[in-house]
Amino acid sequence: MRKFGRIIGFWGIFLLLLIQSSYLFMPKKNTVEDGMADRDIHANGVMEEPSNTLDVIVVGDSEGFSAISPMVMWKEHGITSFVCSQSGQRSVEAYYMLKKALKRQNPKLVILETDLFYHHRDLQTELTHALEKTSQYYLPVFRYHDRWKKLTARDWKQEWDFSKTDCMKGFLPSKKIAAYKGGEYMNKSDGREPLNHTVTFWTDKIVKLCRDKRINLLLVGVTAPKNWDYSRHNTVNDYALKNKIPYLDLNLFTKELKMDWSRDSRDEGDHLNTSGAEKVSRYLGSYLAAHYNLTDHRSELKYREWNKELGQYLINLSGKGTSS
């Protein structure tokens, strides 16, 4: 019995050390220099937003941060939103990214971009990936342990510096134009491309998380002719119907969006450029304003910084601030 108690005590002390180490090793600024991975920086910008000021949070892969511009929706409807997308974001990452964002925000709506439904690998790789992301969420020392050489006095004091907000709000613009030339890609059919069980497992957890917190969830498919077809639409629609979740597949509305595939894609139909993103964002903003009880904050003093950031956003798009 005493031996068992010593074992429990050892592991308890070990766990406490891991927790304390996690606070020490976690980056205190949202920069590569301070230890953040490059693919995480734009998504982690959500932590810099003032608490409980975002009405909409977007999760998903690079289709999301290429196509959804929160500042367009702010300019036209006063909707506050942030895109927490990452390149190649998988469903387990979306789940933990959302949990992280919800520590500071209480949005009315979460948008899950549906290209993520088809990001998966073999079962063993997915299980390893899920274990890694779960351990890193609860014990960040597993993710940032290699920062030990860069620790500063600020790390020992555990002072967080999330004071510089991102005027792009997670959106990554691009002026590049590489036309999609493949023709019509949403040919109606009854086909269905099956979903991986690991994807549905973590997506189910996103659904439950939103319902537990009484947050609306909307599935959104961004126009992406290189990645989407009717068989994928049917499968996601089946999932949406089964779980009673609204599903807006913008791939069915390219005419309404006035998509011009000779100029609205940055890479031959994989991701939208700024021109395409503005069309998607205007349409999405109008849809959200019409279907959800979202407040227009443009005249509220609490949100005056958004108007200032809109000015910086427009400057960035017109000059050096636009990414290639």
Side-chain angles (χ1 to χ4, degrees), residues 66-67 171-178 263-267 271-278:
S66 301
F171 170 57
L172 269 66
S174 174
K175 287 184 176 180
K176 281 186 176 179
I177 298 176
R263 61 185 298 271
D264 289 336
S265 174
R266 65 177 73 180
D267 49 12
H271 302 89
L272 298 180
N273 56 24
T274 301
S275 172
E278 288 181 345

Side-chain angles (χ1 to χ4, degrees), residues 55-56 58 67-81 109 111 218 220 248 250 257 276-296 298:
D55 288 335
V56 181
V58 181
I68 299 175
S69 172
M71 275 301 169
V72 170
M73 296 193 289
W74 168 262
K75 182 175 181 288
E76 299 201 354
H77 300 284
I79 295 170
T80 56
S81 60
L109 175 68
I111 292 175
L218 172 66
V220 173
L248 175 65
L250 297 175
L257 289 165
E278 288 181 345
K279 294 177 181 181
V280 163
S281 301
R282 285 196 295 269
Y283 188 97
L284 181 60
S286 296
Y287 180 91
L288 298 184
H291 291 84
Y292 295 91
N293 184 28
L294 302 177
T295 303
D296 183 343
R298 285 175 291 184

Side-chain angles (χ1 to χ4, degrees), residues 1-16:
M1 191 71 178
R2 291 172 61 186
K3 183 178 180 181
F4 180 74
R6 286 197 297 270
I7 293 173
I8 294 297
F10 170 80
W11 285 109
I13 293 171
F14 182 66
L15 180 60
L16 287 174

